[in-house]
């Protein structure tokens, strides 16, 4: 009987142990529940990663925008401070129109010139022919003006007198005249001061006989008591003194 109880006690103890193990095993299965929280954490991590990725994307977008702004700023700087239009336009384009080479290729037009004729101070027989360029660009004139001397009221000018001019001409294709400057020629109506023709009272001047039509000729009154004999005309020069020197060589080769 005591043996039976002893076995029952052993069996009871064994059963208790088995139950305890079973309970322990069930408790171990709670790890699955703990692990089930893992995906939630992974989801949170993924969300955080997504946020981070979005932030990175936003950062890229911001960087791109800044880069675009920089490009825009660069474009604005180049366009706004145009070197061609503002800094260099007048120098390269406007400047070329006042050069001698431009004048050689562009004969003067009557509308761009103002012609004056007046007695030379200190001389009783010499007159100054002053051709002013009132245009915006340089232009070219023939080496000397085309001049004839006659009677203002004459119906036939075939007998008009033409002055002698220097010979041996050559060099540049034209006499260049810059804007707001003058080409000056001097004519001596009576270089020797002898008895001359008294019927002449008018000087006819064509600033450029090589390129202008005769219709552009201008007439200037010489006044009374003018005596004309073997007149001499010099080349265009920039000063009256140089024009006088050129006139004195007229009639020589």
């Amino acid at each position: 009987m005591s043996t039976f109880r002893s076995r029952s006690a052993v069996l009871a103890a064994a059963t208790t142990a088995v139950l305890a193990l079973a309970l322990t095993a069930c408790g171990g299965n709670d790890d699955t529940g703990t692990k089930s929280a893992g995906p939630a954490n992974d989801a949170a991590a993924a969300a955080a990663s997504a946020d981070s990725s979005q932030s990175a994307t936003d950062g890229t977008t911001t960087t791109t925008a800044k880069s675009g702004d920089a490009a825009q700023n660069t474009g604005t700087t180049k366009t706004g401070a145009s070197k061609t239009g503002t800094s260099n336009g007048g120098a390269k384009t406007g400047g070329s129109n006042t050069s001698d080479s431009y004048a050689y290729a562009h004969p003067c037009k009557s509308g761009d010139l103002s012609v004056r004729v007046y007695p030379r101070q200190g001389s009783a027989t010499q007159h100054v022919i002053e051709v002013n360029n009132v245009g915006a660009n340089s232009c070219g004139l023939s080496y000397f003006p085309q001049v004839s001397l006659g009677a203002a009221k004459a119906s036939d000018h075939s007998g008009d007198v033409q002055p002698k001019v220097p010979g041996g001409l050559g060099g540049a294709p034209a006499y260049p005249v810059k804007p707001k400057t003058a080409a000056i020629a001097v004519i001596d109506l009576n270089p020797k001061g002898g008895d001359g023709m008294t019927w002449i009272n008018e000087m006819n001047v064509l600033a450029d006989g090589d390129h202008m039509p005769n219709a552009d000729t201008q007439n200037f009154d010489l006044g009374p008591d003018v005596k004309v004999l073997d007149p001499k005309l010099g080349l265009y020069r920039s000063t009256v003194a140089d024009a006088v020197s050129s006139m004195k060589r007229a009639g020589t080769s």
Side-chain angles (χ1 to χ4, degrees):
M1 193 66 174
S2 60
T3 301
F4 176 77
R5 290 179 177 175
S6 177
R7 289 179 178 176
S8 296
V10 171
L11 289 172
T15 301
T16 300
V18 170
L19 289 174
L21 290 172
L23 289 173
T24 301
C26 289
N29 288 338
D30 288 343
D31 290 344
T32 304
T34 303
K35 290 181 179 178
S36 67
N41 291 337
D42 291 342
S49 176
D51 290 342
S52 176
S53 176
Q54 182 63 36
S55 297
T57 303
D58 291 344
T60 302
T61 302
T62 302
T63 302
T64 303
K66 289 181 179 178
S67 176
D69 291 343
Q72 181 64 32
N73 290 338
T74 302
T76 301
T77 300
K78 289 184 179 179
T79 304
S82 173
K83 292 183 179 179
T84 303
T86 303
S87 301
N88 297 336
K92 291 183 179 180
T93 305
S96 64
N97 293 345
T98 61
S99 66
D100 287 353
S101 58
Y102 185 90
Y104 296 151
H106 296 80
C108 294
K109 298 178 180 179
S110 293
D112 292 330
L113 302 176
S114 173
V115 181
R116 296 176 59 207
V117 173
Y118 52 90
R120 180 189 167 223
Q121 186 175 3
S123 174
T125 59
Q126 296 177 9
H127 282 68
V128 177
I129 302 171
E130 182 182 295
V131 180
N132 291 275
N133 181 0
V134 296
N137 303 317
S138 291
C139 61
L141 291 170
S142 51
Y143 289 161
F144 53 87
Q146 179 177 297
V147 176
S148 65
L149 304 165
K153 296 182 179 180
S155 58
D156 181 8
H157 288 275
S158 60
D160 285 3
V161 177
Q162 294 183 338
K164 297 177 181 179
V165 295
L169 303 180
Y175 181 84
V177 190
K178 296 183 183 298
K180 307 299 183 289
T181 60
I184 297 172
V186 170
I187 184 171
D188 194 331
L189 302 178
N190 193 344
K192 296 179 181 179
D195 291 335
M197 295 171 283
T198 58
W199 56 270
I200 295 176
N201 60 5
E202 183 180 66
M203 183 187 303
N204 309 304
V205 178
L206 182 61
D208 187 337
D210 292 342
H211 301 97
M212 294 179 180
N214 288 331
D216 289 338
T217 300
Q218 299 185 41
N219 312 112
F220 299 90
D221 183 22
L222 292 176
D225 303 325
V226 174
K227 296 179 180 181
V228 177
L229 180 66
D230 297 328
K232 290 185 175 183
L233 172 67
L235 306 179
Y236 278 127
R237 291 292 184 262
S238 59
T239 67
V240 173
D242 288 344
V244 170
S245 296
S246 177
M247 176 271 297
K248 290 180 177 180
R249 294 194 297 272
T252 61
S253 56

